[in-house]
Amino acid sequence: MAEVARLLAAAKKARTQAYAPYSQFAVGAAVLTKSGEIFSGCNVENSSYGLTVCAERVAAFAAVTGGSRELVGIALVADMPAPPLPCGACRQVLSEFNPQMWVVCANLQGKQRRFRLDELLPEAFGPDFRETRKEK
Ligand code: THU
């Protein structure tokens, strides 16, 4: 798929902007929207550690800020022997916008793993629960 190659290139480029002085672990991500737009993000760390935001969430929030909430897929890239996997917090955030989006994980050597998000986060809590929750 040509889009996957475009997305991986965008994620790889975003990775070069990572602000990761504490972990030294640079991650890049890029999301594809239904209209074909690409939004990218890198991880942004903080001296308080806990305020660090992963590349995947930065990319997803960039898409939302750009007016696109329909996310079709995401690519993430890191320099690891095996392709990186998105953390649980990012899986939850991405699931808000499309539990069926595809996820391509790649290392710098081009080794890839592909998933559908609901494989990585089965039985997810989602926006539908708003309608079914009991108000006190
Ligand atoms: N990180 C990401 O950006 N994405 C992931 O999927 C896993 C972890 C970042 C957060 C932190 O800056 C660094 O990698 C080490 O955990």
Side-chain angles (χ1 to χ4, degrees):
M1 218 198 311
E3 277 136 341
V4 174
R6 275 172 66 215
L7 218 54
L8 282 167
K12 212 167 166 181
K13 189 173 173 202
R15 181 183 166 275
T16 66
Q17 302 298 338
Y19 176 68
Y22 306 103
S23 73
Q24 305 290 337
F25 185 64
V27 185
V31 296
L32 178 70
T33 70
K34 202 177 173 187
S35 60
E37 279 182 285
I38 287 178
F39 293 89
S40 60
C42 61
N43 52 329
V44 182
E45 298 189 343
N46 188 269
S47 51
S48 72
Y49 286 39
L51 292 177
T52 290
V53 184
C54 296
E56 297 91 314
R57 271 175 285 159
V58 173
F61 294 161
V64 173
T65 305
S68 300
R69 297 175 186 171
E70 292 182 294
L71 309 185
V72 173
I74 184 165
L76 56 142
V77 174
D79 188 10
M80 291 171 71
L85 291 165
C87 81
C90 289
R91 294 177 195 198
Q92 177 67 30
V93 167
L94 293 170
S95 181
E96 179 79 14
F97 299 105
N98 179 6
Q100 277 100 38
M101 82 172 71
W102 45 261
V103 180
V104 178
C105 309
N107 68 10
L108 289 184
Q109 284 71 45
K111 200 185 269 185
Q112 284 183 24
R113 291 186 73 186
R114 297 184 184 199
F115 304 92
R116 216 172 76 158
L117 183 56
D118 53 13
E119 285 178 73
L120 298 175
L121 189 69
E123 305 286 348
F125 183 86
D128 291 351
F129 286 77
R130 277 196 310 247
E131 279 83 60
T132 54
R133 80 182 162 199
K134 268 191 185 159
E135 300 292 345
K136 282 201 183 130

